[in-house]
Amino acid sequence: MMIASSIDELQVARRLLDGTVGLVPTMGYLHEGHLSLIRLAKSECDRVAISIFVNPTQFGANEDLSKYPRDLERDLKLIDPLGVDLVWNPTPEVMYPPGYQTWVEVESLTRPLEGSMRPGHFKGVTTVVAKLFNAVQPHRAYFGQKDAQQAAVIRQMVRDLNFPIELVVCPTLREADGLAMSSRNKYLEGADRQSATVLFRALSAAKSAYENGERDAEKLRALMKEVLASEPKANPQYVSCADYDTLEELDTVKGKSLLSMAVLIGKTRLIDNFVLG
Ligand code: AMP
């Protein structure tokens, strides 16, 4: 397994990768969700590269950049058995050297949901992912359905900027009680961990109403809010039932749709979603 930090090291290492290359971009502090992306990439590509980079430009001023969990040694141990060919672990200075001034921005898809709560977030995401794509030049890139809007925004960017890359979106891995795996789950202490299952419970309630024939999107949003309201520690930021492709809020559910939410459990901000149809 080659480990690169600078752009020069990355380029030397990249030239040694023959055949199809799959890239799995991550912010590290890896869990089974990340590992499932790596395993899928490994099964579909000749070579697998992963990036580990806590991207400062996608964090808002009041967000958790400085306390975001980081542990490279632990991450390298976790991926050791998976046959990863290249790990790229750049520093913020490598990605954004002094004088840096170029940004990639996707427009309307980044406005609702996460974009409405985290101004500038997706500008940071698309910029760093474009830089990762340019540096690694993968044939395929693997993202999680857990970050549904991120996957949609990157799909749009790939199409608009003609990146010759196939995007693969992988299902969300969950703990036994339904909580979506996330590096941020580390912040959930004591009773917060149990309270955090309320996102899964709310999404499940709306999904079973949908499966029983409910197509009124407002009723599905109301149902999710009702379940969230039953959990005193949960403070919802948004609750959405939107078109899967445009992310616009629906009146009536038809075709592929996305139930999604962001909820504060104490101080920990969690997101989750289910796809309908
Ligand atoms: P992150 O390190 O949180 O930026 O995540 C890196 C990639 O892993 C993103 O494409 C995420 O959508 C994906 N991911 C995060 N959590 C999960 C999960 N529970 N199941 C599947 N993929 C995930």
Side-chain angles (χ1 to χ4, degrees):
M1 183 162 73
M2 297 181 283
I3 300 177
S5 175
S6 70
I7 299 278
D8 285 349
E9 286 167 359
L10 188 264
Q11 282 171 347
V12 169
R14 173 62 182 91
R15 280 195 282 272
L16 297 173
L17 300 182
D18 47 352
T20 55
V21 174
L23 172 67
V24 183
T26 82
M27 297 207 297
Y29 211 76
L30 304 178
H31 51 67
E32 274 299 321
H34 298 113
L35 303 189
S36 72
L37 269 58
I38 296 172
R39 286 193 189 99
L40 185 63
K42 194 68 199 162
S43 73
E44 295 183 346
C45 307
D46 298 319
R47 302 287 177 185
V48 173
I50 85 163
S51 57
I52 297 181
F53 179 57
V54 182
N55 175 35
T57 65
Q58 72 189 67
F59 286 77
N62 302 319
E63 295 182 358
D64 55 348
L65 173 62
S66 62
K67 66 176 181 120
Y68 194 86
R70 294 161 170 93
D71 191 340
L72 183 61
E73 213 171 297
R74 172 185 174 280
D75 289 345
L76 295 178
K77 266 194 205 130
L78 281 172
I79 59 174
D80 190 47
L82 302 186
V84 169
D85 298 279
L86 168 61
V87 178
W88 188 25
N89 175 227
T91 60
E93 293 71 29
V94 164
M95 292 307 256
Y96 305 104
Y100 188 88
Q101 51 183 301
T102 302
W103 302 94
V104 176
E105 217 167 344
V106 170
E107 294 184 340
S108 52
L109 263 184
T110 63
R111 290 194 189 111
L113 309 177
E114 288 299 285
S116 70
M117 304 307 302
R118 306 183 67 189
H121 168 67
F122 285 115
K123 181 179 167 187
V125 169
T126 43
T127 299
V128 82
V129 171
K131 286 169 67 69
L132 295 172
F133 284 178
N134 281 332
V136 177
Q137 307 217 339
H139 299 86
R140 297 198 184 94
Y142 294 80
F143 292 88
Q145 178 60 38
K146 157 85 178 4
D147 298 279
Q149 188 175 15
Q150 171 172 279
V153 166
I154 290 168
R155 186 178 303 114
Q156 186 72 39
M157 178 187 81
V158 163
R159 196 183 304 146
D160 289 350
L161 296 184
N162 312 112
F163 279 104
I165 295 174
E166 184 193 335
L167 222 68
V168 183
V169 180
C170 313
T172 302
L173 253 76
R174 300 178 177 281
E175 304 290 352
D177 60 7
L179 176 66
M181 290 181 186
S182 165
S183 308
R184 289 190 168 96
N185 292 351
K186 180 180 157 61
Y187 303 148
L188 296 168
E189 282 170 2
D192 285 0
R193 172 63 188 78
Q194 166 57 28
S195 305
T197 60
V198 75
L199 285 83
F200 180 74
R201 289 185 271 124
L203 290 164
S204 301
K207 186 172 179 220
S208 61
Y210 169 82
E211 282 167 350
N212 288 324
E214 185 59 79
R215 293 293 181 270
D216 181 333
E218 190 50 41
K219 288 205 176 126
L220 296 179
R221 285 186 286 266
L223 188 54
M224 291 187 280
K225 286 178 191 164
E226 196 183 302
V227 177
L228 292 171
S230 71
E231 173 50 63
K233 288 192 163 182
N235 177 16
Q237 290 196 328
Y238 64 78
V239 173
S240 165
C241 175
D243 179 84
Y244 183 82
D245 293 311
T246 66
L247 304 181
E248 282 164 15
E249 289 304 314
L250 294 168
D251 294 325
T252 307
V253 180
K254 27 181 160 47
K256 207 170 171 185
S257 312
L258 184 73
L259 301 172
S260 69
M261 57 182 60
V263 181
L264 285 165
I265 302 291
K267 284 185 186 146
T268 305
R269 184 175 187 278
L270 300 176
I271 60 172
D272 201 354
N273 68 80
F274 277 9
V275 179
L276 300 180

